[in-house]
Amino acid sequence: MSKASCAGLPKSVDPYKLAEQNSTLEGEIPLSALSRFREAVLEVGEAAVCSVKLSFYMDGERRRIVSGELEAPATLECQRCMGHMQTTLTSRFTLGLVTSDEQAQRLPKDLEPFLTDDFSADLWSMVEDELLLVLPPFPLHERAECPADEDLEALEPKGAPEQGDAPAKENPFSVLADLKKTKH
Ligand SMILES: [Zn+2]
């Protein structure tokens, strides 16, 4: 394994110590190293990185908190045209550090748990989880940029029927009604 550059986010840290020291970490993670993320997207650029900023601190209740933001480029598959779609994923999150499920359950609702060992946390894996959370489940190009704009209606949930757009199909019953009329 090559030594991380100075801009690299450390993979393993003692998050409790960092929280007590009110530390902020800023750095990058090569996306090629995040295998679950790599498999979830169409492709990641060879040199693509996720930029991360993490603040460790203690809140008023002396809970250890890590709040962060991240940004990463990704190529997704547009579900309308099945073509490549470049996007930038961003996320902001606030996590409560816990070492057991029991602790996790005691966290207030607005804090997601970040389960770690007593003295070490895998930051890369945590960032990968956050990235996977913000992947759009149904990525679509902007309308103007999508080559398959024509097919849009087929994919969108059926709303109110469109009126006056397409020529009305002949209704067999109205034809019958006309026939009846002409008989009289
Ligand atoms: Zn598209």
Side-chain angles (χ1 to χ4, degrees), residues 28-177:
E28 295 175 340
I29 301 174
L31 286 177
S32 57
L34 305 180
S35 58
R36 288 178 295 143
F37 177 73
R38 226 177 41 215
E39 277 166 28
V41 300
L42 216 48
E43 63 182 33
V44 297
E46 201 137 305
V49 295
C50 179
S51 307
V52 188
K53 184 177 177 184
L54 299 175
S55 302
F56 296 81
Y57 58 94
M58 288 196 283
D59 71 4
E61 312 277 322
R62 295 187 63 77
R63 280 184 291 255
R64 275 64 169 173
I65 308 290
V66 53
S67 78
E69 45 192 281
L70 58 80
E71 187 177 313
T75 305
L76 308 177
E77 184 179 60
C78 169
Q79 298 302 296
R80 192 188 293 135
C81 68
M82 300 300 155
H84 287 203
M85 174 187 156
Q86 304 296 335
T87 190
T88 302
L89 302 169
T90 59
S91 176
R92 283 168 180 275
F93 48 90
T94 303
L95 310 173
L97 294 169
V98 295
T99 51
S100 68
D101 286 342
E102 201 193 348
Q103 280 184 7
Q105 277 160 20
R106 286 204 298 265
L107 285 178
K109 283 203 185 93
D110 57 332
L111 278 181
E112 289 294 319
F114 176 21
L115 190 63
T116 71
D117 294 337
D118 282 332
F119 300 107
S120 79
D122 183 341
L123 295 184
W124 287 21
S125 175
M126 180 269 278
V127 166
E128 186 169 28
D129 287 342
E130 296 299 327
L131 271 176
L132 291 169
L133 278 176
V134 292
L135 269 184
F138 198 74
L140 289 174
H141 283 124
E142 296 292 326
R143 277 169 188 243
E145 291 166 13
C146 188
D149 199 35
E150 257 79 63
D151 298 330
L152 186 63
E153 276 74 20
L155 277 163
E156 279 188 346
K158 294 254 184 295
E162 290 196 29
Q163 287 176 349
D165 219 319
K169 274 191 193 147
E170 241 181 325
N171 180 335
F173 295 104
S174 67
V175 174
L176 275 178

